[in-house]
Amino acid sequence: MSILGLWKFIKQKLFDPVQKHERSDPTPTGPLRRLDLLGSLYPIIRNAYTFHPVEVAHGIVEKAIRRLVNPTNSVVYIDGAPSAEKQGTHQNRKSTREKAVAKGQQELKKLEQRVQSDSRPRKQQFLSVEKSIRQSFLWLPSARDSLAGYLESKNYTVVVCPTEADVQIARDCQPTDVVISGDSDLLLYSKINTVWRPMRRNQLLCYDVEQVVKTLGISKQQLMALGIVSRNDYTRNIPSLGCATNYGVIKNLKDQDVETLVKAYLSDERVVAKNTKEETFNTSIRVFLKELQTPLPPLDDSSLPSKELMDAYSRVKRQYAEKHVAIQENTERRKRTIDTPPDRSQPAPAMTAPESLPATSSDPPATETEVHTASQMSTSTDLPADTPMASQSSVSVDPLADTFMASQSSSTSVDPLADALMASQSSIDPLPTDTTTQESQTALSATHKAQPRREGNCFWPRYSHRDRTRKIVHEKPECFKQYAWKPWKVAPTTPQASASTAPQASALTPQKPKPRPRGQGTASEGENMSKVSLYRRMGRQHPFATLRIGTLKANVHRAPRTHNDTELEAEVMKCLREVTHHAADTKRAFQRLVGQFIECIMKPEGLKEGDRDILDLLCPRVVVAELNQDQPEGDTMEPDEDPTKEDNSDQAQFIKSMLLFIWNGKTPYGKLQDNLVKFINRIQELGLWEQQVVEAWAKAREYPGSSFLSSVSQQLCLEFKGIYRRGTLEMTKQLETKKKKGVLSDKTDIAIDDNVSAIENFIRLNRLNNNRRKIVSLTGNKNPMITISESDLLQLLLKSTKIKTSLEKMVRESENMESKAKVTRQKIETWLGGVPPGTVVSALITDTGNEVKAMRRPGIGKSFCNVTKTMSLQDMSDHIARLQATGFDPNSYSERGYVMTGSIRTNGFKLQVIAWKIRELQSVRYRRLPQELLPPRITSQVGGTDYFMSEIRNVIKTPQDVQDIWGCPAKDIAIIGIDLGQAYVVGASALLPDSGDQGGEASPKVYHNLSVNQKAVYQPTFKYRDWLNKVKNKPLSESGPSITEIESSMPPLRGDSASLTEYVEYRAEFEQQLTNFYSPDGKASKNAWDAERAREAEYSLITERLLNMVGGSAGRLRRPEQKVAIGIGLSRFSSHIRLSSLDSSFTSYFVQKVRSLGYIVIGVNEYYTSKRCPECHQFVGQMEIRRLYCSNCKVKFHRDVMAGENIANIVQSYLVHQRRPLYLQPYDADGNYPWELTATSSSSDQASSSTSGNQEKGISKRAASAVLEKEPVKHQ
């Protein structure tokens, strides 16, 4: 039972319930837990008793119960006979079960026909039948009594209620007890004070009734009255008076007893006018207030509605397995062939294809990146065919069918043809533009020829686009929501305003202002050859890039100096991993120290003189005026600084000094010495630090910490500013919203105090927040990435005798010294100052940048190895001189690749190399050159490819712009429109140029569409998460806990009971187990790396399929004869629930990739693109969340694909007529187009005149005379 919309309403009123995690073995101490079994675990009960025998189902349910309660401290309530008060709800549920059975029989009939006709059934047909079986589930009294006996044998206290469990719980509950249920009506009973609501992913939301009513601003009696008059399982609400409306009525009533409140509610004039049936809510009052119910006779086993359907489904599955035994035999044969390498000297055995799938020898073998298994690409739940399909009476199923269906969901790919089928059904959304797929009859030109299709019985590869002709008319759906024009509350901003008021200039000319000039400066000849000077000057000419070149172990193994020397390889690995581990430990120790320090001084009278100065050094104060100022755009700011450059701010220097104190135990010195000594004495006074521990750590660390700790201090500076400065501002806005809604008192002070530190402001506002934040960020179990410069890297490596010997050998070879000549440490450092940057890295750590290519793994040419190099100091000097020459023309600059800087980033597992991106020039990106020399940004790659995507209205203003950018007429340009989203990462449509007539007859129009499901892209992540949860649930030893139990049992870091001190003490007990589990050598790190690489492979494959629509490829540069315009919607959003949105990450990858290949990418305003039909330009209707229907064209659309087609139409309209189509512009009630009128009013050559026969509704005469006759015509 539940009050309709009550959970959602409480959330909308800004009540933040405390989040808890279910524990596998809850502590037996604490308040008594009363578990409403059906209200908490109904989905688990339904699936268990539908697809498993009763005995197995009992075990599944008991396991779920154990995650919530402990047998020694809980009572489990099981619903009994139905109640007379709930008879209406019982009838509705019975009708729903009957409809589900009827639908399941229809789907089963279709499935049976395909099986009997030897046609291969689809996975969705099995899922449809099983969905109907689940919907027709009815938990019979016999199964409930059997479960009660089973739980009692497990020492549970079980109460089989005479009627509903909710009423029995309300009778037995004590004020201190905790009730666990997903039903919101348990908040209404007078004795229940705390309700825990089970959620997904083992989460519990804790609702304190006292806090709920306080947030809502009503009393407990008013809350009970609200639940009684709102829709529940006993009485329906008065029409159009839902939970929110009733809240407004009851809140204004005088607080009285519940029955009086209900009578006063019924007397309200707003209620009287709509209470046509004279509802009195007596039934709800009887249940919620008096806790009374009348039982009805229980149901018997013969009334099970889905028993015949389940028996028939089992029979069909058995027939399917018997007819396709050959597939199983063929699968096992291929599996044996894969497991055992064939003998090349003997002829290969013949492969027998099943009858339903003809063997195709011409198809190339499936690769690991292009063909995924069914379990990887499925967007629905897996078929439960791997378990016996049985009803509650233990109906058995042929194990042969179960074995076959289990093979379909296996994670091992043994049948590429079958895998391609399952992948194509799950990853590519079927576009509803027609019911059949026809081969394109259009003869495309050779320039824009789409990818060829395989002939015969084969399947499309993953993410492949579909070519369709809209000839079949769809029937109008029975129910759908028709979109219509509505007057706007706030007039839409005019995108063309800037274009009309600004002086007319070419679209290729940069419009943004220049940054402040920086002096070029001159240097003497000696200074030009200084390595430090050249390093800085190269950073001014080219941006820094971080190259992800793989894992540390693999790169060190391929390095020239360590490739054949296992001892040297082990020493280099040990050196880098120990340093990253010590740096991570130091960072964690400082974070815990700061958190405990803040906890201590923020207690009453805990803040002493001088503490505020320390807090100001940890994080600068919050200045609201500065934080609210608009930040400059990315391409008008100064160049990015060197990643290895040290921050000289007081905050960074203070944090770094404290990190050094933790690292080596020595008291720091410098300009902040007094504050540092004061902080050290203060933490020792509070008992947070022991000098003996510091000295023990210092002895264990053999490496100098200055370099690594600079990188760590920069990370901590950003973290502290993000928590205390930005967090304070965010909480201020949240509390202001609560204050406006009446949740907080008007007297509550939420203003930021400039006279105190940022941390004090954060702590004060955090106490006013219901769901409190962490007071300090703690680095997780995985080590963070640290940056190491070349000079600091040399100091590290010299600590090892083995590595020092190898460096001495490199010096002798470079200086042509004798083999026995002595090489001192000073000589090595002097030698490093004269060799090219990256020499040490490319010799001992990676083969990237090295000229020797014999040791590189196969396929390494596609990585950064072949495009990265080291550059001598003389070559760097000549290169800089050429770029700074007076006559330098960036339009003729054509150098590509990367030059190593000598710095690296690593966390002990991954390795990244910092290099200069030679292809891009900072002088072009930041406009340091004269205006006439700057190359066009939209077509040139010299100014960068990863940050610039201008809106199309700023790119195309005149027909000459089209000619200058593409060098051809608009009719010869292929267009891709891309709409990005959450549930579907990409919805795309392509418009190809007209290829001419075929035999005097025009070829039909072909629509090239592509949609990519988010769940398909997330499959590598899903697989990694499932594996990680499975491994973490395994005990570390026979008697020890698992990683899940350790992590879930840690004291909370947020909320009222949060304590960092308790967290640190508890974590110290299991620190070694967590470190070993997440170590760089562990499987967790390796599998996480594989999932990250698989995500990039998914992005690469999507990019390939998008370019395939216009005849391109992600593996080659755009050919000069290919003229392509790619339009991308500019809407951006973020997701805070379910899966994280991929639109930002994919956009960044896609734009940088295709621009580097020579394609032109432009942004498009998405106004109306998901609301209007691209064919007839009328508003469409919504059938489902992502299915649209046009009543005029009688065509169904996929929402994201239709938006992509409208984006393509916008790009085409700008190419042909340099304006946006009228049907995708807003208009007012008078028929005026504000965007169009603003644009036309600034043009002197477009005078207003009268016209007649307007083709679109609401076109003003002024707009029609200027632009209507220019409506674009689609490619035929």
Side-chain angles (χ1 to χ4, degrees), residues 1208-1224:
N1209 289 344
I1210 294 173
V1211 176
Q1212 185 188 47
S1213 179
Y1214 271 100
L1215 291 175
V1216 179
H1217 301 293
Q1218 293 77 53
R1219 67 170 184 82
R1220 188 182 180 93
L1222 289 179
Y1223 81 97
L1224 294 175

Side-chain angles (χ1 to χ4, degrees), residues 1128-1169:
I1128 300 180
L1130 291 176
S1131 296
R1132 294 292 177 267
F1133 54 89
S1134 59
S1135 174
H1136 301 286
I1137 58 176
R1138 297 183 180 178
L1139 299 178
S1140 300
S1141 177
L1142 300 177
D1143 68 314
S1144 298
S1145 60
F1146 176 74
T1147 303
S1148 176
Y1149 176 89
F1150 178 77
V1151 172
Q1152 184 173 1
K1153 180 68 175 179
V1154 298
R1155 288 204 66 199
S1156 64
L1157 298 176
Y1159 292 91
I1160 296 174
V1161 185
I1162 44 184
V1164 177
N1165 190 321
E1166 296 187 22
Y1167 194 89
Y1168 271 173
T1169 54

Side-chain angles (χ1 to χ4, degrees), residues 718-784:
L718 296 177
E719 290 177 5
F720 289 165
K721 289 179 181 178
I723 294 175
Y724 304 122
R725 288 171 62 92
R726 187 171 63 247
T728 300
L729 187 64
E730 291 174 354
M731 284 193 295
T732 301
K733 295 179 180 179
Q734 294 175 359
L735 295 174
E736 286 177 354
T737 304
K738 291 186 178 182
K739 206 171 183 180
K740 292 178 181 178
K741 294 187 175 182
V743 178
L744 287 178
S745 173
D746 295 336
K747 298 181 180 180
T748 305
D749 183 16
I750 61 173
I752 297 177
D753 189 357
D754 294 339
N755 297 322
V756 300
S757 64
I759 298 178
E760 291 177 88
N761 278 307
F762 173 83
I763 296 297
R764 179 173 58 85
L765 296 178
N766 196 29
R767 289 171 179 170
L768 300 175
N769 198 7
N770 290 335
N771 194 6
R772 297 186 179 181
R773 304 188 179 194
K774 298 178 182 179
I775 62 173
V776 68
S777 64
L778 296 180
T779 300
N781 299 298
K782 298 179 181 179
N783 295 336

Side-chain angles (χ1 to χ4, degrees), residues 390-445:
S391 66
Q392 296 177 30
S393 57
S394 303
V395 179
S396 62
V397 179
D398 188 354
L400 184 60
D402 299 332
T403 304
F404 174 74
M405 296 307 296
S407 67
Q408 297 299 311
S409 60
S410 174
S411 61
T412 305
S413 177
V414 293
D415 190 348
L417 193 59
D419 292 341
L421 169 65
M422 305 306 292
S424 64
Q425 291 176 351
S426 58
S427 62
I428 305 176
D429 181 64
L431 306 178
T433 52
D434 64 0
T435 58
T436 60
T437 303
Q438 303 180 1
E439 290 295 331
S440 171
Q441 301 297 326
T442 305
L444 301 176
S445 62

Side-chain angles (χ1 to χ4, degrees), residues 1088-1268:
W1089 169 249
D1090 291 338
E1092 183 180 344
R1093 293 173 58 198
R1095 173 70 64 81
E1096 294 183 1
E1098 297 288 335
Y1099 284 175
S1100 177
L1101 186 57
I1102 297 172
T1103 303
E1104 172 74 15
R1105 301 306 185 216
L1106 287 170
L1107 296 180
N1108 286 165
M1109 291 197 293
V1110 292
S1113 174
R1116 66 170 184 268
L1117 296 175
R1118 179 186 64 84
R1119 294 189 295 269
E1121 63 272 12
Q1122 285 182 311
K1123 308 299 180 182
V1124 181
I1126 302 177
I1128 300 180
L1130 291 176
S1131 296
R1132 294 292 177 267
F1133 54 89
S1134 59
S1135 174
H1136 301 286
I1137 58 176
R1138 297 183 180 178
L1139 299 178
S1140 300
S1141 177
L1142 300 177
D1143 68 314
S1144 298
S1145 60
F1146 176 74
T1147 303
S1148 176
Y1149 176 89
F1150 178 77
V1151 172
Q1152 184 173 1
K1153 180 68 175 179
V1154 298
R1155 288 204 66 199
S1156 64
L1157 298 176
Y1159 292 91
I1160 296 174
V1161 185
I1162 44 184
V1164 177
N1165 190 321
E1166 296 187 22
Y1167 194 89
Y1168 271 173
T1169 54
S1170 296
K1171 294 292 186 295
R1172 310 200 78 166
C1173 175
E1175 295 295 326
C1176 66
H1177 304 171
Q1178 301 299 321
F1179 283 100
V1180 297
Q1182 183 180 12
M1183 300 165 49
E1184 301 173 6
I1185 185 64
R1186 224 156 273 280
R1187 293 285 182 261
L1188 306 176
Y1189 179 78
C1190 178
S1191 301
N1192 188 31
C1193 299
K1194 295 182 174 53
V1195 174
K1196 296 179 182 178
F1197 292 97
H1198 185 286
R1199 189 181 74 177
D1200 297 325
V1201 172
M1202 189 190 78
E1205 188 171 346
N1206 277 324
I1207 290 174
N1209 289 344
I1210 294 173
V1211 176
Q1212 185 188 47
S1213 179
Y1214 271 100
L1215 291 175
V1216 179
H1217 301 293
Q1218 293 77 53
R1219 67 170 184 82
R1220 188 182 180 93
L1222 289 179
Y1223 81 97
L1224 294 175
Q1225 294 189 26
Y1227 59 90
D1228 56 23
D1230 298 330
N1232 296 321
Y1233 290 79
W1235 292 1
E1236 195 66 40
L1237 290 177
T1238 305
T1240 56
S1241 61
S1242 63
S1243 303
S1244 59
D1245 59 335
Q1246 294 181 345
S1248 62
S1249 61
S1250 61
T1251 184
S1252 59
N1254 294 335
Q1255 300 177 10
E1256 290 200 41
K1257 173 185 176 182
I1259 299 179
S1260 65
K1261 294 181 179 180
R1262 184 178 183 184
S1265 63
V1267 299
L1268 181 58

Side-chain angles (χ1 to χ4, degrees), residues 205-276:
L205 299 183
C206 304
Y207 290 82
D208 188 333
V209 179
E210 183 179 351
Q211 294 296 329
V212 171
V213 297
K214 184 178 179 181
T215 303
L216 297 179
I218 59 178
S219 65
K220 180 63 178 293
Q221 290 75 14
Q222 289 174 320
L223 177 64
M224 294 177 65
L226 175 63
I228 289 173
V229 301
S230 300
R231 183 174 179 178
N232 51 62
D233 288 341
Y234 305 106
T235 55
R236 299 178 65 89
N237 61 305
I238 296 174
S240 74
L241 296 181
C243 193
T245 307
N246 291 333
Y247 168 78
V249 176
I250 293 177
K251 185 178 181 181
N252 296 326
L253 299 178
K254 185 178 180 181
D255 188 9
Q256 305 173 70
D257 62 277
V258 179
E259 292 189 59
T260 307
L261 281 171
V262 174
K263 292 179 181 179
Y265 166 82
L266 293 173
S267 301
D268 190 275
E269 58 181 6
R270 290 173 289 181
V271 179
V272 172
K274 298 181 179 180
N275 190 11
T276 58

